[in-house]
Amino acid sequence: MLNLVLFGPPGAGKGTQAEKVIKKYELVHFSTGDILRSELAAKTELGLEAKKFMDKGELVPDEVVIGMIDAKVKRNMDAKGFVFDGFPRTIEQAKALDELLNKKGLEVTGLIVLEVEHDELVKRLVNRGKDSGREDDKDVSIIENRIQVYNRKTMPVVEYYEKANKYYPVNGVGEIDEIFQNICAVIDKMK
Ligand code: B4P
């Protein structure tokens, strides 16, 4: 099974590239951001709780997100593989993902990190905020907080996978299709 983590700061293009990767390699997509937003749209208890964190650009508590992923992996055990998009975002989530996959005799194949510098991230998110309706894209101070949270809490995850020889950086700036080709080259080497 090909189990990929698409990683990078907010606005790096994880969601954009994940759509293309799942289509080409016929993998199941897990976007914790999308799952949380659909819970929010359905006004579930989980969604309303998550909203308090998301609107401020903070991370939703680990136990909430880990539970969501666990349930979805269990429902998709016949898949060719998974693309985790926006997960793991903390060391605790990375350890939980390893545990969860190991129990099923699986493991993360590789962490693909989309590298984009700060000003480009802010530009993309402000742009998306004009019509996305996402509260966390509307305000530059919330966008800046998301980037800071990424640097503080999420970046250590890179080192975790680097130690396991599973770290694959890719330049996330340029044409979407060009970046996708570079990601495919990395995946084809892993396989
Ligand atoms: P996410 O939904 O994961 O959102 P994100 O980090 O903003 O990245 P996204 O994937 O949407 O953006 P993309 O780079 O594709 O998380 C939202 C919130 O949910 C978090 O802040 C947190 O509160 C919560 N959450 C989610 N997962 C969690 C977890 N595991 N633990 C705790 N909390 C969690 O694209 C951005 C924009 O750039 C788009 O408009 C796109 O069109 C554009 N773009 C993409 N590629 C481009 C390119 N090459 N050139 C120019 N523009 C490009």
Side-chain angles (χ1 to χ4, degrees):
M1 247 170 143
L2 185 61
N3 299 316
L4 307 171
V5 178
L6 256 181
F7 196 89
K14 303 180 293 284
T16 308
Q17 296 296 336
E19 291 298 336
K20 297 169 90 65
V21 170
I22 55 162
K23 223 180 252 168
K24 172 162 177 168
Y25 295 94
E26 298 173 9
L27 305 173
V28 171
H29 187 195
F30 291 74
S31 161
T32 39
D34 286 351
I35 300 172
L36 290 168
R37 279 185 291 276
S38 67
E39 293 280 343
L40 201 110
K43 295 196 165 69
T44 65
E45 202 178 314
L46 191 156
L48 294 173
E49 180 60 23
K51 182 174 163 50
K52 294 181 199 159
F53 299 92
M54 294 170 81
D55 283 358
K56 286 187 275 185
E58 296 292 331
L59 295 179
V60 173
D62 286 333
E63 60 275 18
V64 173
V65 185
I66 292 165
M68 277 169 17
I69 289 285
D70 195 9
K72 198 166 169 183
V73 169
K74 273 187 197 138
R75 285 200 301 274
N76 287 279
M77 281 308 291
D78 53 347
K80 283 190 182 171
F82 305 120
V83 172
F84 298 97
D85 157 11
F87 180 90
R89 258 175 156 99
T90 62
I91 291 284
E92 286 69 28
Q93 291 181 19
K95 287 182 181 162
L97 179 62
D98 273 353
E99 232 171 75
L100 190 155
L101 291 177
N102 291 347
K103 266 192 215 151
K104 296 174 170 63
L106 305 172
E107 62 175 341
V108 168
T109 317
L111 177 87
I112 299 174
V113 183
L114 290 169
E115 296 183 328
V116 179
E117 71 277 8
H118 173 274
D119 291 359
E120 172 70 13
L121 298 174
V122 176
K123 197 174 91 189
R124 288 183 188 180
L125 294 174
V126 167
N127 227 350
R128 185 172 66 186
K130 288 178 190 156
D131 50 23
S132 70
R134 276 178 59 168
E135 290 298 325
D136 58 347
D137 283 346
K138 280 187 186 154
D139 187 323
V140 176
S141 67
I142 295 172
I143 291 174
E144 292 287 3
N145 188 43
R146 286 161 66 193
I147 297 173
Q148 274 181 30
V149 168
Y150 173 83
N151 290 336
R152 219 174 45 240
K153 296 189 176 166
T154 307
M155 272 296 278
V157 172
V158 171
E159 206 179 310
Y160 179 85
Y161 286 98
E162 207 172 1
K163 280 190 192 140
N165 289 320
K166 290 180 179 180
Y167 163 60
Y168 300 89
V170 171
N171 181 7
V173 182
E175 293 296 323
I176 288 171
D177 279 333
E178 184 194 332
I179 298 166
F180 178 59
Q181 292 313 321
N182 292 335
I183 292 176
C184 292
V186 165
I187 296 174
D188 293 338
K189 248 190 263 163
M190 280 181 205
K191 277 175 30 170

